Amino acid sequence: MSHLIDVSSVLRGTVCDLYSNLVTRPTGAAVRTAIERQVVDIGAPVVTTIDFSQVNLLDFSCADEIVAKLLLRYAETDGLAGFLLFRGIHGEHLDPIETVLERHELALVAWHEGLAELYGCVSEAERWLWELVRDGGPIGAGDASAALGTTADDTEALLEQLFRRRLIMHHDTGYVVPGTLPKAS
């Protein structure tokens, strides 16, 4: 199950009808709280897409309150269930988002021009494996290790690390990037 949350609608519903800018920490906290409430109300683990398409300006404090703190809530052992994706992130949003991702050593999956992209702090090995899963998923540890020339145990450990970071998810026959459709068999 997937769920879409339009950040500008949340902003208008929680803070003010007049703005499409996210520019204070209290505004970011209010938007994040409303998003968390929506995710909790859904109940079942889902893939939630946070859409920034209608947001003009995003400052560092709002990127920290919304993006970083949401990702941290998903990463907690008893945190929000499911997976988080982003879309509608444009060039003006990237600097504050990448800064907070680096500060908290986080990474996220965002859709850009029809393709899932990985942003934030990941090792080179994590990025190669994530791209393999994105491009070839669902894929298991055996096939991934053969493609990368690594051992199945090392690959499985790295796949589980990406899963714990909510950057990939389990699928019947392996792993997929959240929000991607498995290939028809």
Side-chain angles (χ1 to χ4, degrees), residues 47 83-85 109 111 116 118 129-141 144 159-160 162-184:
V47 176
F83 296 86
L84 196 57
L85 301 176
V109 176
W111 285 93
L118 186 60
L129 186 53
W130 184 88
E131 289 175 354
L132 182 67
V133 172
R134 177 195 63 191
D135 297 340
I139 189 167
L159 285 165
E160 282 300 308
L162 289 170
F163 170 74
R164 284 191 303 276
R165 296 183 74 187
R166 311 279 179 110
L167 299 172
I168 61 174
M169 55 193 280
H170 291 129
H171 184 270
D172 294 343
T173 57
Y175 295 86
V176 295
V177 169
T180 61
L181 295 174
K183 292 179 180 174

Side-chain angles (χ1 to χ4, degrees), residues 75-91:
E76 295 172 353
T77 304
D78 60 344
L80 298 171
F83 296 86
L84 196 57
L85 301 176
F86 295 84
R87 80 175 195 190
I89 294 174
H90 59 74

Side-chain angles (χ1 to χ4, degrees), residues 9 17 24 39 62 70 89 106 110 131 134 136 158 166 168:
S9 294
D17 282 340
T24 66
V39 170
C62 282
L70 274 175
I89 294 174
L106 295 168
E131 289 175 354
R134 177 195 63 191
L158 197 53
R166 311 279 179 110
I168 61 174

